[in-house]
Amino acid sequence: YSKSFEAFVPIQNGCDKFCSFCAVPYTRGREVSRSSKEILEEVTSLIENGVKSITLLGQNVNSYGLDRPDEELSFAQLLREIGELAQRKKADFWLYFTSPHPRDMTREVIEVMAAYPVLANQVHLPLQSGDDKLLRRMNRNHNVEDYMRVVSDIRELLPEATLFTDIIVGFCGETKEQLEATAEVMLDVQYNMAYIAKYSPRIGARSARWEDDVTNEEKSERLARLTEVLKRTSLLHNEALVGKRVRVLVEREDPRCEGALNARTEGKLPVRIHEATPDIIGTFQEVEITAAAELSLSGKWVKQAAEVVAE
């Protein structure tokens, strides 16, 4: 718990997916789900202490409970229990989870998210590549059609949700045509944020035995190509928010802009707030968005009516 208003709650350790670029199953072992009773007790304690943002953590968080199907809740059931807990306690916080695996992302999970306001409208759904052949080489065990089916469910049931992803460029054997296939998926999905990384071998991972045949210079060019796509789609989303009032969680004083504060929307979009005071850090506030950049927003703090009258 690095901040009084934000906490990260591990619900699972290890991994059963064996992606060829990843060493986690070998270094941390197979998936082990933490007791849901312990998780719910921890979440209860956090919300009773006024925590405003809680993130459930797992290597493949939505496969929670699959290692003990007759003893534990499923991930959808765990989310439902937290949603019910929030309603009983009339608690005001945002719950996130990261990172899910597309193969285990069920429509039921998305339906539960839509049913409980406390379950934040934000989904981090790793893509890694937009090419089916490369996904097989990565041992992702899903294809682009499967992935887009999940995206379709999110857009249908959570139309206000932001969508984040992870992408690897320059994986062993990746061609320029396969890179362009990833760019096409990015344009189709219209991500709000993408964490794009250049492939590098990990000791213990299966791909570490393969030839790393894409040069670092080419990887940098491919990263730049996809970053430009991301900036384009992110800016479209952000510009649509200009002039609107949004709820944010204020996180800290802005280290690069004196007198400003940093905050995030429910969808984890970063907002720089002007004309605000540090005493609102750690609280939910309303902000009017005044400007949009490619990967961030700026806004003006909307004081509560009672405060305005008092002045």
Side-chain angles (χ1 to χ4, degrees):
Y1 310 151
S2 59
K3 302 172 185 175
S4 62
F5 55 87
E6 181 180 39
F8 296 85
V9 177
I11 69 168
Q12 174 203 68
N13 192 43
C15 180
D16 288 351
K17 295 298 187 287
F18 292 92
C19 298
S20 60
F21 53 77
C22 182
V24 168
Y26 308 102
T27 58
R28 298 185 190 174
R30 303 299 292 268
E31 290 177 4
V32 178
S33 297
R34 184 182 174 197
S35 160
S36 58
K37 181 174 182 294
E38 289 183 9
I39 296 167
L40 292 169
E41 286 174 350
E42 183 173 0
V43 171
T44 299
S45 176
L46 290 170
I47 63 178
E48 287 177 347
N49 282 282
V51 172
K52 302 300 183 186
S53 174
I54 300 173
T55 303
L56 305 181
L57 296 178
Q59 189 69 27
N60 294 300
V61 68
N62 54 336
S63 62
Y64 173 82
L66 295 182
D67 56 318
R68 293 188 290 162
D70 298 324
E71 304 172 35
E72 262 306 344
L73 302 175
S74 68
F75 186 60
Q77 290 169 333
L78 179 64
L79 291 181
R80 189 181 300 279
E81 286 296 317
I82 294 174
E84 290 291 331
L85 172 66
Q87 289 188 349
R88 289 196 302 273
K89 291 189 169 291
K90 297 181 172 56
D92 187 16
F93 66 99
W94 288 334
L95 185 103
Y96 301 93
F97 55 85
T98 195
S99 293
H101 193 289
R103 194 179 82 182
D104 296 325
M105 192 65 171
T106 65
R107 185 176 173 89
E108 183 186 7
V109 167
I110 303 166
E111 288 172 342
V112 173
M113 291 178 67
Y116 296 94
V118 72
L119 305 181
N121 277 331
Q122 190 267 349
V123 180
H124 188 133
L125 192 67
L127 173 66
Q128 306 302 3
S129 172
D131 178 80
D132 286 344
K133 183 177 179 180
L134 209 59
L135 287 172
R136 287 194 297 272
R137 190 167 172 79
M138 290 177 168
N139 197 38
R140 292 291 287 168
N141 289 305
H142 68 84
N143 57 30
V144 172
E145 183 179 354
D146 297 330
Y147 186 93
M148 294 304 293
R149 191 178 303 116
V150 177
V151 171
S152 178
D153 286 343
I154 293 169
R155 296 304 190 204
E156 174 193 346
L157 299 172
L158 297 170
E160 300 300 318
T162 56
L163 197 54
F164 291 22
T165 197
D166 298 326
I167 294 171
I168 296 172
V169 298
F171 186 65
C172 308
E174 182 188 57
T175 65
K176 292 182 179 181
E177 290 76 17
Q178 289 171 324
L179 187 281
E180 286 305 313
T182 301
E184 286 300 316
V185 173
M186 291 181 69
L187 287 169
D188 288 343
V189 175
Q190 301 277 301
Y191 292 108
N192 297 87
M193 174 54 70
Y195 300 99
I196 308 167
K198 294 188 288 185
Y199 170 74
S200 60
R202 294 289 184 264
I203 296 174
R206 194 193 326 168
S207 66
R209 303 192 297 268
W210 303 342
E211 182 184 0
D212 184 11
D213 55 356
V214 181
T215 67
N216 190 61
E217 180 182 9
E218 181 65 24
K219 288 175 184 176
S220 296
E221 291 176 2
R222 295 180 188 189
L223 189 150
R225 162 78 173 113
L226 295 191
T227 298
E228 286 304 311
V229 176
L230 168 65
K231 288 179 178 179
R232 191 190 320 171
T233 60
S234 176
L235 183 60
L236 286 174
H237 286 289
N238 290 350
E239 286 179 335
L241 291 173
V242 174
K244 295 183 179 179
R245 292 187 175 188
V246 299
R247 196 179 194 220
V248 300
L249 177 59
V250 187
E251 297 182 330
R252 62 174 183 170
E253 294 185 65
D254 192 323
R256 294 183 295 178
C257 184
E258 186 176 355
L261 302 177
N262 291 150
R264 288 189 185 272
T265 67
E266 180 181 351
K268 285 188 173 289
L269 302 180
V271 182
R272 173 177 284 167
I273 309 175
H274 300 282
E275 301 180 33
T277 53
D279 59 301
I280 64 173
I281 292 174
T283 66
F284 288 123
Q285 297 292 328
E286 191 173 338
V287 171
E288 181 179 340
I289 302 302
T290 56
E294 290 168 334
L295 298 171
S296 63
L297 298 156
S298 295
K300 181 179 179 181
W301 178 37
V302 179
K303 295 183 180 182
Q304 298 298 318
E307 294 176 341
V308 175
V309 171
E311 291 177 357

